[in-house]
Amino acid sequence: MHRRIVCTRCGCLCDDIDVEIVQNKFRKVENACRRGAAFLRASDDRQRRARCSVAGAETGPESAIDNAGQLLAKARRPLVFGLDNSTLAAQAAGIELARSLKAVIDDTSSFCHGSVVRRIFEAQLPTCSLADVRDQADLLVYWGSNPHHAHPRHLSNLAYYPRERYRQTGWIPDARLVCIETRETETTSIADSVIKVAPGDDGLFIRGVIDSAQGTSSAREANAFVEMVRKSRLCVIFVGLGLIYALDGHLQPFVDMVAKLQEYTRMAVIPLVGHFNMRGFNRSLYYDGQTGFVNKVSFAAGAAHGKRFSFLEQLRTQAPDCVLIIGSNPFASLPRSLMSNLRGIPVICLDPFTTLTTQSADVVVGTAISGIEVEGDAVRMDGEEVHLPPAKTADSPSDEAVLQELLQRIRS
Amino acid sequence: MTPASRERSGSSIRIVSHRDVFDDLGRGESCPVGDCHHSAATVRMSPTDMEAMQIEDGATIELRTDAGTLVARTCADTSCQPGFGYMAVGPTINVLTSYDPDRSHLPNLKVVDVEIRVTGQPATTTTVTPGPSGVIEEINAQAE
């Protein structure tokens, strides 16, 4: 059986993946990148899939959900984390569960692109769709990111190569590619201009650009960058984690710089989101959850927001007495010294794959893979909603079904 | 985060982490490349620094921060800036990273200052057990 599916490995949500499925397994995968192909193949590998367990002992989904429900029901300060690799429907169920539990809810955006997305929602940063990037943008800036490794088809499928007009020999895209990077990468090797900054010094370059735009800078690279922007029709800045971490999450100088450059040309900012539906979570919590916040929310009394409700602070202060992690792997992505604070706190994990987090959890519920085994919708990194048709059937329940089941148990 | 121009002693270096697709494949899902775990426990360094610190290409070094200790293999790379080392982001380097809100808003996941010590000469072969904790334990055992 041949199908065209959407890859849910990263925030690109490539929708041109052709697969051949035999006996509910991928026999052929075409158009996917290395990450996407490995992800799809892994879905067929039973060894890689998470099994339901309680206290390390394998069990069925019913028993695992039952134990998870009991732990959540008796928790006084529960924390819900993740949901960035879930469909919009599952995110809505997760937010509703957190509300019912009067829990704190947060996702990975609180220590990556959340501040960018919030400013886009609040119109502090301009943005555009990836279709606009393809059709109109003539200056693409990758800042603190190497899509070759993080989003391997971003250049080829979404931003740089798929253009209507080409220049010179007929195959070079009619857009200027600029990298602002700390090191040489595969992406800098094909860029028209590379602006090298020392690790952590992005703020100095931003200051230089603002000064240059005001005519008070003598910094050569900042002046050259402003000149490139000045000559462009649409300049799109793809924000990578390198920039966010260099600014330590304080984006105001970047916002000021973009506002200044908007005096010369049309500017747009798109966060290079890693998890396929992180932006969907931000939207779900901000708008659909009616909190007005993209992350770090406590439902203990209404909907409060603050740094103390971030996953990082919750762990540092060992505030929660039960943690529910959905489709996220903080044991791999966060400092081990911080994650060790979870010792003694019950952890429930819903995930399709075996990860360091499932290995550390007290209760594991193996779930179906969103968008591959479960139909749904997601929000791409540029804010466009994408439908995810299922490729094959699942042996495990969807995370939405598990969250709805938990919600019912909590309410009863 | 301290300024990049901060003075360092001869045995310290600033590690910058970056996404590595092969490490990512091996860690999260199926891995089409057999030894992809090596990239997670490899530090790419400037040959200038390695010469100054008397580190041979391929030698194992111990990286130490207040948060933890990690043994990794070195790889000379002329594209690296002196004073900086480069490692794949993930659970291996997260042995060294930490979160201290008094110092910074975010954890030091991207840039971490480490003290280094040479622990072994270049190895011709290394057996690495799959799994992030396996990488560390196996290479540690070899260094001892």
Side-chain angles (χ1 to χ4, degrees), chain B residues 50-73:
Chain B
M50 291 176 70
E51 192 180 341
M53 296 177 194
Q54 297 181 316
I55 300 170
E56 287 186 49
D57 190 11
T60 49
I61 59 173
E62 184 184 86
L63 310 172
R64 183 185 292 273
T65 66
D66 290 343
T69 305
L70 169 71
V71 174
R73 188 199 309 251

Side-chain angles (χ1 to χ4, degrees), chain A residues 9 34-39 41-42 45 48 110-112 144 146 148-150 152 181-184 196-201 241-242 244-250 274 296 307 310 312-313 316 329-338 353-356 359, chain B residues 1-5 14 16-22 24-32 37 44 67-68 77-81 84 86 89-92 94-111 130-133 136-137:
Chain A
R9 181 62 187 90
R34 286 180 295 196
R35 293 184 77 194
F39 168 68
R41 280 211 305 267
D45 185 349
R48 295 275 183 171
S110 75
F111 46 90
C112 62
N146 182 16
H148 187 84
H149 283 265
E181 253 297 357
T182 60
R183 64 197 179 102
E184 289 173 28
K196 236 175 177 177
V197 293
D201 280 358
L241 281 184
I244 291 166
Y245 272 77
L247 298 177
D248 195 24
H250 301 297
K296 293 178 272 191
K307 187 182 175 185
S310 75
L312 299 170
E313 278 297 296
R316 187 183 69 84
N329 189 9
F331 278 84
S333 57
L334 287 177
R336 186 179 287 190
S337 52
L338 179 69
F353 292 102
T354 298
T355 65
L356 278 181
Q359 288 167 354
Chain B
M1 196 177 296
T2 51
S5 55
R14 178 162 287 180
V16 178
S17 71
H18 58 86
R19 177 76 65 185
D20 182 292
V21 72
F22 292 110
D24 190 58
L25 298 179
R27 179 157 50 88
E29 296 108 22
S30 61
C31 178
H37 284 285
R44 289 185 296 109
D77 186 340
T78 52
S79 71
C80 295
Q81 300 173 56
F84 295 96
Y86 293 85
V89 72
T92 305
N94 279 338
V95 171
L96 305 172
T97 59
S98 57
Y99 170 60
D100 180 357
D102 292 334
R103 291 166 62 184
S104 62
H105 182 68
L106 296 170
N108 59 350
L109 300 176
K110 295 294 289 180
V111 181
S133 55
I136 299 158
E137 286 155 14

Side-chain angles (χ1 to χ4, degrees), chain A residues 179-238:
Chain A
C179 283
I180 303 176
E181 253 297 357
T182 60
R183 64 197 179 102
E184 289 173 28
T185 67
E186 294 84 350
T187 312
T188 62
S189 71
I190 60 162
D192 296 292
S193 304
V194 179
I195 298 167
K196 236 175 177 177
V197 293
D201 280 358
D202 302 56
L204 294 178
F205 179 70
I206 288 171
R207 188 67 253 164
V209 170
I210 293 172
D211 290 346
S212 177
Q214 291 170 339
T216 58
S217 171
S218 57
R220 190 177 55 83
E221 286 190 315
N223 287 338
F225 180 69
V226 171
E227 198 53 32
M228 279 189 280
V229 173
R230 210 189 281 264
K231 287 178 179 169
S232 68
R233 294 185 306 274
L234 170 58
C235 169
V236 181
I237 301 178
F238 296 104

